[in-house]
Coordinates of all heavy atoms in Angstrom, one line a residue:
Chain U
A40 N -22.2 4.9 19.3 CA -23.0 3.7 18.8 C -23.0 2.6 19.9 O -24.1 2.0 20.1 CB -22.3 3.1 17.6
A41 N -21.9 2.5 20.6 CA -21.9 1.5 21.7 C -22.9 1.9 22.8 O -23.6 1.0 23.4 CB -20.5 1.4 22.3
V42 N -23.0 3.2 23.0 CA -23.9 3.7 24.1 C -25.4 3.5 23.6 O -26.2 2.9 24.3 CB -23.6 5.1 24.5 CG1 -24.7 5.7 25.4 CG2 -22.3 5.2 25.2
T43 N -25.7 4.1 22.5 CA -27.1 4.2 22.1 C -27.6 3.0 21.5 O -28.6 2.4 21.9 CB -27.2 5.4 21.1 OG1 -26.7 6.6 21.7 CG2 -28.7 5.7 20.7
D44 N -26.9 2.4 20.4 CA -27.4 1.3 19.7 C -27.2 0.0 20.5 O -28.1 -0.9 20.5 CB -26.7 1.1 18.4 CG -26.8 2.4 17.5 OD1 -27.7 3.2 17.8 OD2 -26.0 2.5 16.6
E45 N -26.1 -0.1 21.2 CA -25.8 -1.4 21.9 C -26.3 -1.4 23.3 O -27.2 -2.2 23.6 CB -24.3 -1.6 21.8 CG -23.8 -1.8 20.4 CD -22.3 -2.0 20.3 OE1 -21.6 -2.2 21.3 OE2 -21.7 -2.0 19.1
W46 N -25.8 -0.6 24.2 CA -26.3 -0.6 25.5 C -27.8 -0.2 25.5 O -28.6 -1.0 26.0 CB -25.5 0.4 26.4 CG -26.0 0.6 27.8 CD1 -26.9 -0.2 28.5 CD2 -25.6 1.7 28.7 NE1 -27.0 0.3 29.8 CE2 -26.3 1.5 29.9 CE3 -24.7 2.8 28.6 CZ2 -26.1 2.3 31.0 CZ3 -24.6 3.6 29.7 CH2 -25.3 3.4 30.9
G47 N -28.1 0.9 24.9 CA -29.5 1.3 24.9 C -30.4 0.4 24.1 O -31.5 0.1 24.6
G48 N -30.0 0.0 23.0 CA -30.9 -0.8 22.1 C -30.9 -2.3 22.3 O -31.9 -3.0 22.2
M49 N -29.8 -2.8 22.7 CA -29.7 -4.3 22.9 C -29.8 -4.7 24.3 O -30.0 -5.9 24.6 CB -28.4 -4.8 22.3 CG -28.2 -4.5 20.8 SD -26.6 -5.2 20.3 CE -26.5 -4.6 18.6
L50 N -29.5 -3.8 25.2 CA -29.5 -4.1 26.6 C -28.7 -5.3 26.9 O -27.6 -5.5 26.4 CB -31.0 -4.3 27.1 CG -31.8 -3.0 27.0 CD1 -33.3 -3.3 26.9 CD2 -31.6 -2.1 28.2
I51 N -29.2 -6.2 27.7 CA -28.3 -7.4 28.1 C -27.9 -8.2 27.0 O -26.8 -8.9 27.0 CB -29.1 -8.2 29.2 CG1 -28.2 -9.3 29.8 CG2 -30.4 -8.9 28.5 CD1 -27.1 -8.8 30.6
T52 N -28.7 -8.2 25.9 CA -28.3 -9.1 24.7 C -27.0 -8.6 24.0 O -26.5 -9.3 23.2 CB -29.4 -9.2 23.7 OG1 -29.7 -8.0 23.1 CG2 -30.7 -9.7 24.4
G53 N -26.6 -7.4 24.4 CA -25.4 -6.8 23.8 C -24.2 -7.7 24.0 O -23.2 -7.8 23.2
W54 N -24.2 -8.4 25.1 CA -23.0 -9.3 25.4 C -22.8 -10.3 24.3 O -21.7 -10.7 24.0 CB -23.2 -10.0 26.8 CG -23.0 -9.1 27.9 CD1 -24.0 -8.6 28.8 CD2 -21.8 -8.5 28.4 NE1 -23.4 -7.7 29.7 CE2 -22.1 -7.6 29.4 CE3 -20.5 -8.6 27.9 CZ2 -21.1 -6.9 30.1 CZ3 -19.5 -7.9 28.6 CH2 -19.8 -7.0 29.6
N55 N -23.9 -10.8 23.7 CA -23.7 -11.7 22.6 C -23.9 -11.0 21.3 O -23.0 -11.0 20.4 CB -24.8 -12.8 22.6 CG -24.5 -13.8 23.8 OD1 -23.3 -14.1 24.1 ND2 -25.5 -14.1 24.5
K56 N -25.0 -10.2 21.1 CA -25.3 -9.6 19.8 C -24.2 -8.6 19.3 O -24.0 -8.5 18.2 CB -26.7 -8.9 19.9 CG -27.9 -9.8 19.7 CD -29.1 -9.0 19.5 CE -30.3 -9.9 19.7 NZ -31.5 -9.1 20.0
A57 N -23.7 -7.9 20.3 CA -22.7 -6.9 19.9 C -21.3 -7.4 20.1 O -20.3 -6.7 19.9 CB -22.9 -5.6 20.7
G58 N -21.2 -8.6 20.6 CA -19.9 -9.2 20.7 C -19.1 -8.7 21.9 O -17.9 -8.8 21.9
W59 N -19.8 -8.1 22.9 CA -19.0 -7.5 24.0 C -18.1 -8.5 24.7 O -17.0 -8.3 25.0 CB -20.0 -6.9 25.0 CG -20.8 -5.8 24.6 CD1 -20.6 -5.0 23.5 CD2 -22.0 -5.3 25.3 NE1 -21.6 -4.0 23.5 CE2 -22.5 -4.2 24.5 CE3 -22.7 -5.7 26.4 CZ2 -23.6 -3.5 24.9 CZ3 -23.8 -5.0 26.8 CH2 -24.3 -3.9 26.1
M60 N -18.7 -9.7 24.8 CA -18.0 -10.7 25.6 C -16.7 -11.2 25.0 O -15.7 -11.6 25.7 CB -18.9 -12.0 25.9 CG -18.5 -12.9 27.0 SD -18.1 -12.1 28.6 CE -19.8 -12.0 29.3
E61 N -16.6 -11.1 23.7 CA -15.4 -11.5 23.0 C -14.4 -10.4 22.7 O -13.3 -10.6 22.2 CB -15.8 -12.1 21.6 CG -16.7 -13.4 21.7 CD -16.1 -14.3 22.8 OE1 -14.9 -14.6 22.8 OE2 -16.9 -14.8 23.7
M62 N -14.8 -9.2 23.1 CA -13.9 -8.1 22.8 C -12.5 -8.2 23.5 O -11.5 -7.8 22.9 CB -14.6 -6.7 23.2 CG -15.7 -6.3 22.2 SD -16.5 -4.8 22.7 CE -15.5 -3.6 21.8
P63 N -12.4 -8.6 24.7 CA -11.1 -8.7 25.3 C -10.1 -9.6 24.5 O -9.0 -9.3 24.4 CB -11.4 -9.3 26.7 CG -12.8 -8.8 27.0 CD -13.5 -8.9 25.7
A64 N -10.7 -10.7 23.9 CA -9.8 -11.5 23.1 C -9.6 -11.0 21.7 O -8.5 -11.0 21.2 CB -10.4 -12.9 23.0
R65 N -10.7 -10.4 21.2 CA -10.6 -9.9 19.8 C -9.6 -8.7 19.7 O -8.8 -8.6 18.9 CB -12.0 -9.5 19.3 CG -12.1 -9.2 17.9 CD -13.6 -9.4 17.4 NE -14.6 -8.8 18.2 CZ -14.9 -7.5 18.2 NH1 -14.2 -6.7 17.3 NH2 -15.8 -7.0 19.0
L66 N -9.9 -7.7 20.6 CA -9.0 -6.6 20.7 C -7.6 -7.0 21.1 O -6.6 -6.4 20.7 CB -9.6 -5.5 21.5 CG -10.9 -4.9 21.1 CD1 -11.2 -3.6 21.9 CD2 -11.1 -4.7 19.7
G67 N -7.5 -7.9 22.0 CA -6.2 -8.4 22.5 C -5.4 -8.9 21.3 O -4.2 -8.6 21.2
D68 N -6.0 -9.6 20.4 CA -5.3 -10.1 19.2 C -4.8 -9.0 18.4 O -3.7 -9.0 17.7 CB -6.2 -11.1 18.4 CG -6.0 -12.5 18.9 OD1 -5.1 -12.8 19.7 OD2 -6.9 -13.3 18.5
R69 N -5.6 -7.9 18.3 CA -5.2 -6.8 17.4 C -4.0 -6.1 18.0 O -3.1 -5.6 17.3 CB -6.4 -5.8 17.3 CG -7.6 -6.4 16.5 CD -8.7 -5.5 16.3 NE -8.3 -4.4 15.4 CZ -9.2 -3.4 15.0 NH1 -10.4 -3.4 15.5 NH2 -8.8 -2.5 14.2
I70 N -4.0 -6.0 19.4 CA -2.8 -5.5 20.0 C -1.6 -6.4 19.8 O -0.5 -6.0 19.6 CB -3.1 -5.2 21.5 CG1 -4.0 -4.0 21.5 CG2 -1.8 -4.9 22.3 CD1 -4.6 -3.8 22.9
G71 N -1.9 -7.7 19.9 CA -0.9 -8.8 19.8 C -0.1 -8.6 18.4 O 1.1 -8.7 18.4
R72 N -0.9 -8.2 17.4 CA -0.2 -8.0 16.1 C 0.8 -6.9 16.1 O 1.8 -6.9 15.4 CB -1.3 -7.8 15.0 CG -2.0 -9.0 14.6 CD -2.7 -8.9 13.2 NE -3.8 -8.0 13.3 CZ -5.1 -8.3 13.7 NH1 -5.3 -9.5 14.1 NH2 -6.1 -7.4 13.6
L73 N 0.5 -5.9 17.0 CA 1.4 -4.7 17.1 C 2.7 -5.0 17.9 O 3.6 -4.2 17.9 CB 0.7 -3.5 17.7 CG -0.5 -3.0 16.9 CD1 -1.2 -1.9 17.7 CD2 -0.1 -2.5 15.5
I74 N 2.6 -6.1 18.7 CA 3.8 -6.3 19.5 C 4.4 -7.7 19.2 O 5.2 -8.2 20.0 CB 3.4 -6.3 21.0 CG1 2.3 -7.3 21.4 CG2 2.9 -4.9 21.4 CD1 2.1 -7.5 22.9
G75 N 4.0 -8.2 18.1 CA 4.7 -9.5 17.6 C 4.2 -10.7 18.4 O 5.0 -11.7 18.4
A76 N 3.0 -10.7 19.0 CA 2.5 -11.8 19.7 C 1.6 -12.7 18.8 O 0.9 -12.1 18.0 CB 1.7 -11.4 20.9
P77 N 1.8 -14.0 18.9 CA 0.9 -14.8 18.1 C -0.6 -14.7 18.5 O -0.9 -14.3 19.6 CB 1.4 -16.3 18.3 CG 2.2 -16.2 19.6 CD 2.7 -14.8 19.7
A78 N -1.5 -15.0 17.5 CA -2.9 -14.9 17.8 C -3.2 -15.8 19.0 O -2.6 -16.8 19.2 CB -3.7 -15.4 16.6
G79 N -4.2 -15.3 19.8 CA -4.6 -16.1 21.0 C -3.7 -16.1 22.2 O -3.9 -16.8 23.1

Side-chain angles (χ1 to χ4, degrees):
Chain U
V42 170
T43 304
D44 304 343
E45 297 178 10
W46 175 15
M49 299 180 187
L50 295 157
I51 188 68
T52 66
W54 286 108
N55 293 319
K56 279 192 195 158
W59 296 343
M60 196 51 85
E61 297 314 314
M62 286 177 92
R65 192 156 48 80
L66 301 193
D68 271 348
R69 295 181 70 179
I70 290 166
R72 285 198 290 277
L73 297 176
I74 61 168

